[in-house]
């Protein structure tokens, strides 16, 4: 699971607190088991859905609040950063308030913040509410898994995880389709309002079924200084990446100040976390080869993957004439192979070498992105659909094997902290990957636009012929020039997207080296349960 608990600086000096996994109560039966599984799955589905449903709505949101689509991606990155920061606190919060109470509270607060997101009338308001939404969402996924596992007999843990895993795989399929349809046929605020009835139903069902199964609570110290430093460096770095292009990067005193704040607070954070008795994240885990190489490979790959997931619908809607619905249809098939293959991967991850499985995933990701790097302004829907469909196979072999590698060899009491830290790094790099991809896209497009216009000479050659043809069709001089500029921009942004896709393909192939720096996990595995939380 993704929960993290503070661990001691010296195991001999102070025993680490008990992990967030409670003592196993009696399994549920009959209708209670079915309804409990449904309630927890609904909350997980809603949470994962919210990370993908906004992707196809970014152009519509940006237009409504009067900002550029690249600024509109803050709606995605703000949620991811806040979510990443709150994940490591799940263990401490669970032991302070109890798993059932914390989960129910998180779902209700998620409903409230979703409602507020729908009412936002400016980008600033929407980003603020998305930050709050991401922060309260942190405990939902790890605790839904914890409570679900406690509902089934130990012998049925695999069944429970399979049911749970299906919701995390179906949501990315439904998200773009539902988000696109709602944006085109109703209005974008409803992508947030739909969380209200789902969340309320999940909270009521969860509390009525699980309130008598509350986990023990106790007061534990919390690393407030470490948490403050964590918020400072992550927040400053993300803000720098989001605002950099708008403020002309290091020509701006604001960007320089944010960079200094990020570097200094990060350096102090590392020193503090390595010396504190109860660190908010246990950085000593990076001394283990499998954890270091596995979590870095997983996190960088996820950042590259998520950046491309956001970039593709932006390109389709801004420059290829796709509606939100058709862009959602182009993205939806990514889950088909993932849903089919994930149960196989879950069963075989302890039999096959997970390093080979992860290598296969990275090779397929490389192939998919290389195929996308061949796109042009004439690419049709079927050509866009094929790599998306293939990508689902890579996703199935991506999360579970890499998380198994990352957590291999860890004692049981350190697994919650390790899973929490791994997920924190992954989610953070996912948000940063979005900012980097969209910024590079615009920079490369500006470069390609300049190169394309270099060859055009006013009054001569193709430029003169095109201009005359448009004017003879009834356009004024200004309208004809604007139309030509639009066509050049379309080519420039398509070429820029191809650059990002190609560079991303190369990065996936290069990351294979990190996978093979790890040792093969023991044959009995053990990371599969944790891997499900990687979504």
């Amino acid at each position: 699971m993704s929960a993290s608990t503070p661990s001691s600086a010296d195991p001999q000096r102070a025993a680490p607190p008990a992990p967030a996994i409670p003592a196993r109560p009696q399994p549920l039966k009959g209708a209670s088991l079915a309804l409990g599984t449904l309630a927890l799955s609904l909350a997980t589905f809603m949470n994962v859905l919210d990370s993908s449903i906004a992707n196809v709505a970014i152009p519509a949101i940006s237009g409504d609040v009067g900002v550029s689509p690249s600024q509109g991606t803050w709606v995605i990155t703000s949620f991811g950063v806040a979510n990443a920061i709150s994940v490591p606190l799940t263990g401490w919060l669970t032991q302070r308030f109890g798993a059932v109470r914390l989960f129910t509270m998180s779902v209700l607060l998620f409903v409230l913040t979703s409602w507020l997101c729908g009412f936002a009338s400016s980008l600033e308001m929407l980003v603020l509410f998305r930050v709050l939404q991401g922060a309260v969402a942190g405990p939902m996924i790890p605790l839904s898994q914890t409570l679900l596992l406690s509902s089934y007999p130990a012998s049925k843990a695999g069944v429970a995880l399979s049911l749970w895993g299906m919701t995390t795989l179906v949501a990315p399929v439904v998200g773009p389709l539902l988000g696109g349809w709602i944006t085109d046929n109703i209005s974008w605020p409803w992508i947030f309002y739909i969380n209200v009835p789902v969340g309320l139903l999940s909270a009521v069902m969860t509390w009525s079924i699980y309130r008598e199964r509350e986990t023990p609570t106790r007061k534990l110290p919390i690393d407030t200084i470490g948490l403050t430093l964590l918020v400072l460096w992550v927040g400053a770095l993300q803000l720098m990446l989001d605002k950099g292009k708008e403020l002309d990067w290091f020509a701006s005193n604001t960007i320089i100040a944010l960079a200094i704040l990020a570097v200094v607070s990060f350096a102090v954070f590392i020193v503090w976390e390595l010396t504190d008795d109860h660190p908010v994240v246990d950085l000593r885990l990076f001394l283990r080869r499998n954890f270091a190489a596995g979590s870095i490979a997983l996190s960088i790959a996820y950042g590259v993957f998520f950046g491309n997931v956001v970039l593709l619908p932006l390109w389709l809607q801004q420059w290829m004439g796709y509606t939100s619905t058709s862009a959602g249809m182009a993205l939806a098939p990514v889950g088909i192979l993932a849903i089919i293959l994930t149960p196989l991967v879950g069963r075989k991850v302890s039999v096959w070498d997970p390093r080979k499985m992860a290598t296969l995933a990275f090779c397929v990701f490389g192939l998919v992105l290389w195929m996308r790097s061949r796109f042009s302004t004439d690419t049709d829907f079927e050509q866009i659909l094929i790599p998306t469909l293939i990508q689902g196979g890579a996703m199935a072999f991506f999360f579970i094997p890499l998380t198994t590698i990352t957590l291999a060899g860890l004692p049981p009491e350190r697994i919650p902290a390790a899973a929490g830290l791994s997920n924190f790094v992954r989610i953070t790099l996912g948000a940063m990957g979005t900012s980097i991809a969209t910024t590079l896209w615009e920079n490369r497009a500006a470069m390609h636009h300049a190169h394309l216009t270099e060859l055009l000479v006013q009054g001569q050659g193709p430029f003169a012929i095109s201009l005359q043809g448009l004017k003879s069709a009834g356009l004024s001089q200004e309208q004809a020039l604007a139309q030509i500029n639009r066509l050049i921009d379309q080519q420039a942004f398509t070429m820029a997207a191809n650059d990002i896709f190609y560079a991303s393909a190369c990065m996936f192939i290069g990351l294979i080296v990190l996978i093979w720096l790890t040792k093969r996990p023991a044959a009995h595995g053990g990371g599969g349960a944790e891997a499900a939380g990687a979504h």
Side-chain angles (χ1 to χ4, degrees), residues 274-293:
L274 290 173
T275 55
D276 190 65
D277 284 347
H278 299 279
V280 70
V281 290
D282 186 3
L283 294 180
R284 288 180 190 79
L285 287 161
F286 282 107
L287 297 175
R288 304 182 71 98
R289 190 168 81 185
N290 267 38
F291 182 85

Side-chain angles (χ1 to χ4, degrees), residues 360-425:
L360 174 63
F362 281 21
C363 288
V364 175
F365 274 128
L367 172 64
V368 165
L369 288 161
W370 177 81
M371 291 171 71
R372 286 179 178 159
S373 74
R374 319 298 291 177
F375 285 170
S376 71
T377 53
D378 296 323
T379 299
D380 59 26
F381 184 79
E382 287 72 22
Q383 290 171 295
I384 291 167
L385 211 61
I386 291 169
T388 303
L389 186 63
I390 297 171
Q391 184 174 283
M395 288 175 64
F397 285 86
F398 178 45
F399 288 110
I400 295 178
L402 273 172
T403 311
T404 300
I405 291 168
T406 301
L407 302 180
L410 287 168
E413 68 273 9
R414 298 193 77 184
I415 284 181
L421 176 55
S422 174
N423 277 288
F424 159 71
V425 179

Side-chain angles (χ1 to χ4, degrees), residues 315 318-320 377 441-442 444-450 452-453 456 481-497:
W315 172 66
Q318 286 182 249
W319 302 107
M320 295 294 285
T377 53
W441 185 42
E442 293 204 356
R444 297 291 295 179
M447 183 200 73
H448 285 300
H449 187 281
L452 289 169
T453 52
L456 300 179
L481 288 172
Q483 179 64 22
I484 290 172
N485 190 64
R486 169 75 185 179
L487 292 171
I488 295 171
D489 274 341
Q490 184 186 33
Q491 290 291 342
F493 275 91
T494 300
M495 293 165 72

Side-chain angles (χ1 to χ4, degrees), residues 11 51 69 86 97 99 119 141 157 218 358 371 457 470 521 531:
S51 66
S86 67
F97 298 105
F119 270 97
I141 287 183
R218 56 176 178 152
M371 291 171 71
V457 180
L470 290 169

Side-chain angles (χ1 to χ4, degrees), residues 58-102:
I58 292 301
I61 294 172
S62 303
D64 264 13
V65 298
V67 299
S68 69
S70 61
Q71 289 175 303
T73 59
W74 296 358
V75 174
I76 298 169
T77 59
S78 57
F79 178 89
V81 168
N83 190 245
I85 291 171
S86 67
V87 162
L89 293 175
T90 302
W92 182 85
L93 290 168
T94 300
Q95 294 184 75
R96 183 68 182 83
F97 298 105
V100 179
R101 193 175 292 110
L102 176 61

